[in-house]
Amino acid sequence: MALFGTDGVRGVANIDLTAELAVDLAVAAAHVLGEIGLFAGHRPKAIVGQDSRASGDFLESAIISGLTSAGVDVYRVGVLPTPAVAYLVKESNADLGVMISASHNPMPDNGIKFFAKGGDKLADSLEAQIEARLGEPWSRPTGLDVGRIFTDEGASTRYVNYLLATISTDLAGLKVVVDCANGASSSVAPLAYKNAGALVTAISASPTGWNINENCGSTHLENLIAEVKKIGADLGVAHDGDADRCLLVASNGDVIDGDYILNILARSYFDDGKLKKNTVVGTVMSNLGFIKSMESAGINVEKTAVGDRYVLEKMLEKDYVLGGEQSGHIIMRQFSNSGDGLLTALQIMQVMAKTKQSLLDLSSSMSKYPQVLINVKDVAKEKLASSAKIKQAVIDAEKDLAGVGRVLLRASGTESLVRVMVEANDLQLANKVADSLAQLVRLELK
């Protein structure tokens, strides 16, 4: 089984993802990136950040040990969002970046993801090379050639200033509740929104090392919805553990997911003449309601595999400027090649302020099709592609839903499960088809 998933290496910290593995990954990454010429003619430099998990401390030490032993100077930026690390790699002209996070996963998990020069995620081919070279014998530098460790005290300030520079509209009077998931955004998100002019209430913004994503953040919206309605806020913003995405909550408590967010931004870009080739990039999980909304606005949609890296690849390939996922990963290439939940929230707030429309009004241009998603756990997900019975069941289901819905089955790239997604113009029908397929997956992939 491949070590790298759709978003780096993840697993239970100190079981799957050990200090020893972290050292080896760091060394292998330094060798692979060095040999393709990224370090040519200068002393290499790396940015290393982490989310708020307690296990991030020993993993950070291990990664820094690996990088410095391979001759790379390391700049520690501490607890910051994943997109902050991507930004800092580009801003400081570093040769690579490392983010220690398992995003929305439970606290016991952790992960390691690498960024190349410029702040882009590594291509699949480079990750495969890193994995292939784990633990290989190597010639170790000594003396002056050993890397050094520095602490970048101003990293968070520079990141917040960069975010504020992306908007030109004062957000004064906009009442916002932000749920930081007790994660990487706990300090910078409330500060960024406040400095943009908004009136900010922060919840789940007190990380202990053990409470990240615990009944809070983008995977648990109940507290945010309650607080938005309680104080009469204009919107709520929910980040995940590493804040590379966000979900929103309207003033009445309605959840505004990534499809709605992308719909709002695409229409705004289109109206301002900034949507290149009149095209936005979504994924195979994008809701049919989003597709139809874009069609009605005269906007084309290109779909990719699930994963913001694949959205970005399509955007770079065809020079598109806007793309994203239902999960809330939104990429605006005008500002960044990385999904950034704080940037996304600020851009939506700016549209609200400029148009003087509520989030509910802005989202009303799209009618979401009922969508049922069942996560079938503890199955042999690697056998999904070879199951003839499941393939035939999907074909039959799609015939039944022709014109009124669709089916998608896929193995998760970050967890041990298979996702069964069914959309239909009728919720009862979607539930029936999804339950049937999920039951078959359980039986066939034991």
Side-chain angles (χ1 to χ4, degrees), residues 280-298:
V280 64
V281 180
T283 76
V284 293
M285 288 286 284
S286 296
N287 192 274
L288 276 175
F290 167 74
I291 307 296
K292 291 184 178 298
S293 174
M294 292 293 92
E295 288 174 354
S296 70

Side-chain angles (χ1 to χ4, degrees), residues 68-79:
T68 53
S69 70
V72 179
D73 286 342
V74 172
Y75 288 74
R76 300 173 61 250
V77 299
V79 176

Side-chain angles (χ1 to χ4, degrees), residues 44-48 60 63-68 71-77 147-152:
K45 172 182 177 179
I47 305 294
V48 176
E60 181 201 51
I63 288 164
I64 290 175
S65 295
L67 290 174
T68 53
V72 179
D73 286 342
V74 172
Y75 288 74
R76 300 173 61 250
V77 299
R148 302 295 304 275
I149 304 170
F150 305 91
T151 299
D152 187 345

Side-chain angles (χ1 to χ4, degrees), residues 135-217:
E136 69 176 3
W138 55 292
S139 179
R140 299 167 185 269
T142 60
L144 295 176
D145 292 330
V146 171
R148 302 295 304 275
I149 304 170
F150 305 91
T151 299
D152 187 345
E153 302 285 358
S156 62
T157 298
R158 298 201 307 280
Y159 173 59
V160 169
N161 288 340
Y162 146 74
L163 290 172
L164 295 175
T166 68
I167 60 172
S168 57
T169 305
D170 189 354
L171 304 182
L174 202 62
K175 202 170 183 180
V176 182
V177 180
V178 56
D179 184 335
C180 300
N182 291 314
S185 69
S186 294
S187 295
V188 290
L191 179 63
Y193 303 153
K194 180 180 178 182
N195 287 356
L199 300 171
V200 181
T201 299
I203 63 175
S204 299
S206 302
T208 64
W210 298 279
N211 61 354
I212 186 171
N213 297 325
E214 185 178 3
N215 298 317
C216 59

